Amino acid sequence: MSVFTAARPSATLWIVATPIGNLEDIAPRAVRVLRQAAVIAAEDTRHSARLTRPLGIDTPMLSLHEHNEQARTEQLLARLADGDDVALISDAGTPLISDPGFVLVRAVRRAGFPIQSVPGPCAAIAALSIAGLPSDRFVFEGFLPAKATPRAARLAELAAETRTLVFYESSHRIGKCVADMARVFGAERQITLCRELTKLHEQSVSLSAEAIGEWLLADDNHRRGEFVLVVAGAPVRQETTPSLDVDALLAELLAITGTRPAAKIVARLTGMPRNEAYARALEMASH
C-alpha cells in the first residue's frame, strides 16, 4: 500500500458517531462536521442517506465496508493529501465498534494526518450504563462466532472472567447464543439483555441466563432487532493459604538448623508468636 506523508497536515479524518435510533439523537457538532467535510465514508451509503438527507447534508458519500476498506483507504488518503477533510460514519453508533474503519484509521495515523472524534451513541456503553452490573471494569467481546462449536469454545475461554462481559448479537442467533451462555456460564449467571436500544421498541430485561432463554421463547417479538448482552462476571474466588503443620515444619527445620533459627522461620511463615515457636522447638529438640 502506498504511504502518503503529511509533513504539515491540513486535512482531518473525523470519526463521527451517528444515531442508533432517532435523528434527534445526533449532536449539532456531528451535523456541522458532516456538512463541512469534503466526503463522507459510510458503511452503507443508502442507509446513511436516510440520515443525511433529512438533515440537509448533501456531502458526497463513498462506501467503506469490510470488503473494500483496503482500496478505499488508498483513495481517502489521497483526498486527505489534497487537503480534503474526510468524515467516517457507520450504519449507526460509533465507527470501529464492531464496524469497519480500523484499517483506515491506522493508515491515516501512520501518514501523519490528524484524527478527531465526534462522540455520540454506542450501543455497548448504553447497555452497560443501564445493566445494573459492575461497570468499573468490563470486557467488550463484540459478536461471538456464528457457528456453534467455536462459539461454545470462546465462551468456555471466558467462563472464569471476573469482569463484566458485553456482547453484540443478531436476531437469528440470539436464542442459541443465550442457550450456550446458560450451558457454559451456568444457568444462574446474571444477564441484562438490551433490544433495539434508543429505538421505538427498546426493551431491556435482567434475569438469569436460563430465564433469559425462556423470555426469548415466550414471544417472537422478543427475538427481533439488534441485541446487546451484558453478562455478570464470574465470582471472584477467594484464595486460601493452606494451614501449615507447625510440628512437621519444625521437625524439618530442626534437622538442618538450630532451635532459634527454626523458631524464627516458623514464626515468620505461620504468624505464630516467636516465643511460642521457640518454646515448641526446644520441647521437640529435647526428645
Side-chain angles (χ1 to χ4, degrees):
M1 185 176 80
S2 302
V3 177
F4 295 86
T5 303
R8 295 181 179 178
S10 56
T12 298
L13 173 64
W14 296 89
I15 310 300
V16 183
T18 53
I20 297 171
N22 302 318
L23 285 179
E24 291 81 2
D25 294 333
I26 191 166
R29 183 179 178 223
V31 174
R32 184 172 67 253
V33 167
L34 293 176
R35 283 176 178 163
Q36 293 176 352
V39 63
I40 297 172
E43 186 177 3
D44 183 332
T45 55
R46 292 172 298 178
H47 178 279
S48 296
R50 294 198 291 270
L51 165 73
T52 56
R53 283 173 186 156
L55 295 170
I57 299 169
D58 57 5
T59 305
M61 281 196 202
L62 191 69
S63 67
L64 184 142
H65 47 72
E66 60 179 330
H67 302 297
N68 72 353
E69 188 171 0
Q70 198 72 50
R72 286 289 193 244
T73 293
E74 289 280 329
Q75 293 177 254
L76 294 171
L77 281 171
R79 294 294 297 266
L80 289 164
D82 287 340
D84 292 339
D85 276 9
V86 174
L88 173 67
I89 61 175
S90 59
D91 279 356
T94 300
L96 280 78
I97 308 302
S98 285
D99 282 328
F102 162 69
V103 173
L104 173 64
V105 170
R106 179 178 59 183
V108 170
R109 186 163 292 283
R110 286 176 175 172
F113 294 99
I115 303 171
Q116 292 196 38
S117 172
V118 182
C122 176
I125 300 303
L128 186 65
S129 71
I130 64 173
L133 291 169
S135 57
D136 53 335
R137 298 171 69 240
F138 64 92
V139 179
F140 176 65
E141 281 289 314
F143 286 93
L144 286 164
K147 295 186 177 179
T149 299
R151 180 170 62 241
R154 182 58 188 151
L155 289 172
E157 292 173 354
L158 296 167
E161 174 59 66
T162 58
R163 292 170 291 183
T164 298
L165 298 155
V166 183
F167 302 89
Y168 286 168
E169 195 49 274
S170 63
S171 58
H172 59 281
R173 286 198 302 266
I174 186 64
K176 293 177 181 178
C177 176
V178 168
D180 285 345
M181 287 181 175
R183 184 165 53 253
V184 176
F185 292 162
E188 296 306 312
R189 184 74 74 92
Q190 187 75 16
I191 297 178
T192 295
L193 178 149
C194 300
R195 184 178 80 90
E196 293 291 88
L197 279 171
T198 79
K199 299 178 184 177
L200 179 62
H201 300 292
E202 176 178 337
Q203 279 184 296
S204 65
V205 291
S206 292
L207 298 166
S208 68
E210 183 177 49
I212 286 284
E214 294 170 354
W215 181 86
L216 285 166
L217 292 173
D219 187 334
D220 288 347
N221 289 320
H222 292 172
R223 300 188 299 279
R224 291 180 177 151
E226 297 179 330
F227 295 85
V228 183
L229 297 166
V230 185
V231 182
V236 178
R237 294 182 179 180
Q238 299 293 332
E239 294 189 10
T240 57
T241 302
S243 57
L244 294 173
D245 184 328
V246 172
D247 283 359
L249 181 58
L250 274 172
E252 292 291 332
L253 290 169
L254 288 170
I256 57 175
T257 189
T259 54
R260 196 173 296 281
K264 184 177 180 181
I265 293 170
V266 166
R268 186 173 69 249
L269 292 177
T270 66
M272 175 185 283
R274 188 179 296 185
N275 59 341
E276 290 183 21
Y278 182 57
R280 183 60 183 150
L282 286 174
E283 183 181 351
M284 293 178 66
S286 64
H287 288 83

